[in-house]
């Protein structure tokens, strides 16, 4: 019996602003989009910024050692932030999940930006807990995060539903015993969540 639902942020609650924003920045500069994205991800993880072991200034400094930017850091941040467009239908779903008596949490591989998104959109209030890799020190690339957050919510893995757009994260969650919804399309994703919890 499912007792709690974990929602990813980018790609589920909001459009995937990291991918879309970096692609726009690459096009603006004439960089190869796939290579620029891969390099940005490499810096994100290699500096430890994703896990709170480095600050945002370090991230931009190290990425700037690889690329000659014409845009300022603030301009690039604004491009990325602007691509994280909230999805009202998913927010409405979360409200209905709460009203049905399920516990809810965010489980996101995000940096300090997640707090800034909440300042802008005020969505933390919808959840019992917010688990962010920047605060946890581990993320969804690490299987141990899934039993950890279940323990923090006071449930067993089989009592959790995990919703994410990343196939690798979904696979690791399944291996740990969680129920999952691979969220690719908003319409289909919402229908599958509703079916899983009889909403």
């Amino acid at each position: 019996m499912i007792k709690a639902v974990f929602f990813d942020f980018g790609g589920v609650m909001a459009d995937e602003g990291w991918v879309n924003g970096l692609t726009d920045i690459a096009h603006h500069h004439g960089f190869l989009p796939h290579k620029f994205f891969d390099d940005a991800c490499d810096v994100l993880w290699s500096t430890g910024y994703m896990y709170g072991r480095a600050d945002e200034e370090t991230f931009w400094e190290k990425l700037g050692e690889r690329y000659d930017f014409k845009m300022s850091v603030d301009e690039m941040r604004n491009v990325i932030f602007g691509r994280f467009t909230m999805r009202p239908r998913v927010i409405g779903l979360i409200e209905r999940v709460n009203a049905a008596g399920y516990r809810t949490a965010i489980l996101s591989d995000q940096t300090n930006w997640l707090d800034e998104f909440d300042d802008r959109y005020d969505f933390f209030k919808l959840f019992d807990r917010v688990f962010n890799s920047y605060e946890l020190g581990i993320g969804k690339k690490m299987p141990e995060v899934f039993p950890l957050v279940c323990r923090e919510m006071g449930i067993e893995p089989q009592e959790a539903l995990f919703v994410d757009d990343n196939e690798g994260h979904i696979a690791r969650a399944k291996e740990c015993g969680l129920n999952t919804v691979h969220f690719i399309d908003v319409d289909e994703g919402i229908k599958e969540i509703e079916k899983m919890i009889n909403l």
Side-chain angles (χ1 to χ4, degrees):
M1 178 180 175
I2 293 171
K3 295 181 179 179
V5 186
F6 294 91
F7 290 91
D8 180 34
F9 178 68
V12 176
M13 294 173 56
D15 292 341
E16 182 43 77
W18 174 249
V19 177
N20 297 336
L22 288 174
T23 299
D24 287 348
I25 293 168
H27 285 313
H28 178 85
H29 288 89
F31 303 149
L32 293 172
H34 289 296
K35 184 178 186 308
F36 181 61
F37 175 78
D38 289 344
D39 283 345
C41 289
D42 180 58
V43 172
L44 185 68
W45 274 283
S46 65
T47 59
Y49 178 42
M50 176 64 82
Y51 304 121
R53 294 191 282 273
D55 59 18
E56 185 178 350
E57 184 178 354
T58 300
F59 166 76
W60 288 112
E61 179 183 317
K62 293 298 182 183
L63 189 58
E65 291 175 0
R66 304 188 188 192
Y67 290 91
D68 183 17
F69 292 120
K70 300 172 185 176
M71 301 171 73
S72 69
V73 168
D74 283 344
E75 288 172 330
M76 290 187 287
R77 282 179 109 252
N78 287 337
V79 169
I80 294 170
F81 274 51
R83 300 305 181 267
F84 278 99
T85 305
M86 298 299 291
R87 294 170 168 172
R89 292 186 60 209
V90 179
I91 297 302
L93 170 71
I94 294 165
E95 291 172 341
R96 289 191 290 122
V97 172
N98 285 328
Y102 295 94
R103 301 184 67 202
T104 55
I106 293 174
L107 178 54
S108 181
D109 279 359
Q110 263 290 347
T111 64
N112 53 292
W113 294 357
L114 190 61
D115 289 326
E116 294 189 43
F117 294 135
D118 180 58
D119 288 341
R120 182 177 295 188
Y121 299 115
D122 193 27
F123 54 86
F124 282 3
K125 65 186 179 184
L126 299 174
F127 299 93
D128 294 285
R129 296 288 301 272
V130 175
F131 299 104
N132 181 5
S133 62
Y134 189 75
E135 304 293 339
L136 283 176
I138 60 173
K140 291 179 285 189
K141 286 179 176 289
M142 306 170 186
E144 60 266 31
V145 76
F146 297 105
L148 170 64
V149 296
C150 287
R151 286 195 301 271
E152 289 289 324
M153 291 287 283
I155 60 170
E156 297 297 324
Q158 64 269 22
E159 296 173 324
L161 175 61
F162 171 63
V163 182
D164 200 286
D165 65 317
N166 183 289
E167 188 175 2
H169 299 337
I170 289 291
R172 283 182 286 276
K174 281 184 178 179
E175 289 172 1
C176 292
L178 284 73
N179 302 280
T180 62
V181 169
H182 189 192
F183 199 94
I184 301 298
D185 174 81
V186 172
D187 290 337
E188 292 304 315
I190 288 175
K191 288 177 184 177
E192 190 171 356
I193 294 165
E194 290 173 338
K195 182 179 178 180
M196 291 286 288
I197 60 175
N198 299 313
L199 194 64

Coordinates of all heavy atoms in Angstrom, one line a residue, residues 128-155:
D128 N 5.4 17.6 2.7 CA 5.8 17.2 4.1 C 7.3 17.4 4.3 O 7.8 17.9 5.3 CB 5.5 15.8 4.4 CG 4.0 15.6 4.5 OD1 3.3 16.0 5.5 OD2 3.4 15.0 3.5
R129 N 8.1 17.1 3.2 CA 9.5 17.2 3.3 C 10.1 17.6 1.9 O 9.5 17.3 0.9 CB 10.2 15.9 3.7 CG 9.9 15.4 5.1 CD 10.5 16.2 6.2 NE 12.0 16.2 6.1 CZ 12.8 15.3 6.6 NH1 12.3 14.3 7.3 NH2 14.1 15.4 6.5
V130 N 11.2 18.2 1.9 CA 12.0 18.6 0.7 C 13.4 18.0 0.8 O 14.1 18.4 1.7 CB 12.0 20.1 0.5 CG1 12.9 20.4 -0.7 CG2 10.7 20.7 0.3
F131 N 13.7 17.0 0.0 CA 15.0 16.4 0.0 C 15.7 16.8 -1.3 O 15.4 16.5 -2.4 CB 14.8 14.8 -0.1 CG 14.1 14.3 1.1 CD1 12.8 13.8 1.0 CD2 14.7 14.2 2.3 CE1 12.1 13.3 2.1 CE2 14.1 13.6 3.4 CZ 12.8 13.2 3.3
N132 N 16.7 17.6 -1.1 CA 17.5 18.2 -2.1 C 19.0 17.8 -2.0 O 19.6 17.8 -0.9 CB 17.4 19.8 -2.0 CG 18.2 20.5 -3.1 OD1 18.7 19.9 -4.1 ND2 18.3 21.8 -3.0
S133 N 19.5 17.3 -3.1 CA 20.9 16.8 -3.1 C 21.9 17.8 -2.5 O 22.9 17.4 -1.9 CB 21.3 16.3 -4.5 OG 21.4 17.5 -5.4
Y134 N 21.7 19.0 -2.8 CA 22.6 20.1 -2.3 C 22.6 20.1 -0.7 O 23.7 20.4 -0.1 CB 22.1 21.4 -2.8 CG 23.0 22.6 -2.5 CD1 24.2 22.8 -3.3 CD2 22.7 23.6 -1.5 CE1 25.0 23.8 -3.1 CE2 23.6 24.6 -1.3 CZ 24.7 24.8 -2.1 OH 25.6 25.8 -1.9
E135 N 21.5 19.8 -0.1 CA 21.4 19.7 1.4 C 21.8 18.3 1.9 O 22.4 18.2 3.0 CB 20.0 20.1 1.8 CG 19.5 21.5 1.3 CD 20.3 22.6 1.9 OE1 21.0 22.4 3.0 OE2 20.3 23.7 1.3
L136 N 21.3 17.3 1.2 CA 21.6 15.9 1.6 C 23.0 15.5 1.5 O 23.5 14.6 2.3 CB 20.7 14.9 0.8 CG 19.2 14.8 1.1 CD1 18.6 13.8 0.1 CD2 19.0 14.3 2.5
G137 N 23.7 16.0 0.5 CA 25.1 15.6 0.3 C 25.2 14.3 -0.6 O 26.3 13.9 -0.9
I138 N 24.1 13.8 -1.0 CA 24.0 12.7 -1.9 C 22.8 12.9 -2.8 O 21.9 13.7 -2.5 CB 23.9 11.3 -1.2 CG1 22.6 11.2 -0.4 CG2 25.1 11.0 -0.4 CD1 22.3 9.8 0.2
G139 N 22.8 12.2 -4.0 CA 21.7 12.4 -4.9 C 21.3 11.1 -5.5 O 21.6 10.0 -5.1
K140 N 20.4 11.2 -6.6 CA 19.7 10.1 -7.1 C 20.6 9.2 -8.0 O 20.2 8.1 -8.4 CB 18.5 10.5 -7.9 CG 17.4 11.1 -6.9 CD 16.2 11.6 -7.7 CE 16.5 12.9 -8.3 NZ 15.2 13.5 -8.9
K141 N 21.9 9.6 -8.2 CA 22.8 8.7 -8.9 C 23.3 7.6 -7.9 O 24.0 6.7 -8.3 CB 24.0 9.5 -9.4 CG 23.8 10.3 -10.7 CD 25.0 11.1 -11.1 CE 24.8 11.8 -12.4 NZ 24.8 11.0 -13.5
M142 N 23.0 7.8 -6.6 CA 23.5 7.0 -5.6 C 22.3 6.2 -5.0 O 21.4 6.8 -4.4 CB 24.1 7.8 -4.4 CG 25.2 8.7 -4.9 SD 25.8 9.8 -3.6 CE 26.9 10.9 -4.6
P143 N 22.2 4.9 -5.2 CA 21.0 4.1 -4.8 C 20.7 4.3 -3.3 O 19.5 4.2 -3.0 CB 21.4 2.6 -5.1 CG 22.5 2.7 -6.1 CD 23.2 4.0 -5.9
E144 N 21.7 4.5 -2.5 CA 21.4 4.6 -1.0 C 20.5 5.8 -0.7 O 19.9 5.8 0.4 CB 22.7 4.7 -0.2 CG 23.6 5.9 -0.6 CD 24.7 5.5 -1.6 OE1 24.4 4.7 -2.4 OE2 25.7 6.1 -1.5
V145 N 20.3 6.7 -1.6 CA 19.4 7.9 -1.3 C 18.0 7.4 -1.1 O 17.2 8.0 -0.3 CB 19.5 9.0 -2.3 CG1 18.8 8.6 -3.6 CG2 19.0 10.3 -1.8
F146 N 17.6 6.4 -1.8 CA 16.2 6.0 -1.8 C 15.7 5.4 -0.5 O 14.7 5.8 0.1 CB 15.9 5.1 -3.0 CG 16.1 5.8 -4.3 CD1 17.2 5.5 -5.1 CD2 15.2 6.7 -4.8 CE1 17.4 6.1 -6.3 CE2 15.4 7.4 -6.0 CZ 16.5 7.1 -6.7
P147 N 16.4 4.4 0.1 CA 16.1 3.9 1.4 C 16.2 5.0 2.5 O 15.5 5.1 3.5 CB 17.0 2.7 1.7 CG 18.1 2.8 0.7 CD 17.5 3.6 -0.5
L148 N 17.2 5.9 2.3 CA 17.4 7.0 3.2 C 16.2 7.9 3.3 O 15.7 8.2 4.4 CB 18.6 7.9 2.8 CG 18.8 9.2 3.6 CD1 19.1 8.9 5.1 CD2 19.9 10.0 3.0
V149 N 15.6 8.4 2.2 CA 14.5 9.3 2.2 C 13.2 8.5 2.7 O 12.4 9.2 3.3 CB 14.3 10.0 0.9 CG1 15.5 10.9 0.6 CG2 14.0 9.0 -0.2
C150 N 13.1 7.3 2.4 CA 12.0 6.5 2.9 C 12.0 6.4 4.5 O 11.0 6.6 5.1 CB 12.0 5.1 2.3 SG 11.5 5.0 0.6
R151 N 13.2 6.2 5.0 CA 13.4 6.2 6.5 C 13.0 7.5 7.1 O 12.3 7.6 8.1 CB 14.8 5.8 6.9 CG 15.1 4.3 6.7 CD 16.4 3.9 7.4 NE 17.6 4.7 7.0 CZ 18.4 4.4 6.0 NH1 18.1 3.3 5.3 NH2 19.4 5.1 5.7
E152 N 13.4 8.6 6.4 CA 13.1 9.9 6.9 C 11.6 10.2 6.9 O 11.1 11.0 7.7 CB 13.9 11.0 6.0 CG 15.4 11.0 6.2 CD 15.8 11.6 7.6 OE1 15.1 12.5 8.1 OE2 16.7 11.1 8.2
M153 N 10.9 9.6 5.9 CA 9.5 9.7 5.9 C 8.7 8.7 6.7 O 7.5 8.8 6.8 CB 9.0 9.6 4.4 CG 9.5 10.7 3.5 SD 8.6 12.3 3.8 CE 7.0 11.9 3.0
G154 N 9.5 7.8 7.4 CA 8.8 6.8 8.2 C 8.1 5.7 7.5 O 7.1 5.2 8.0
I155 N 8.5 5.4 6.3 CA 7.9 4.4 5.5 C 8.9 3.3 5.0 O 10.1 3.6 5.0 CB 7.1 5.0 4.3 CG1 8.1 5.7 3.4 CG2 6.0 5.9 4.8 CD1 7.5 6.1 2.1

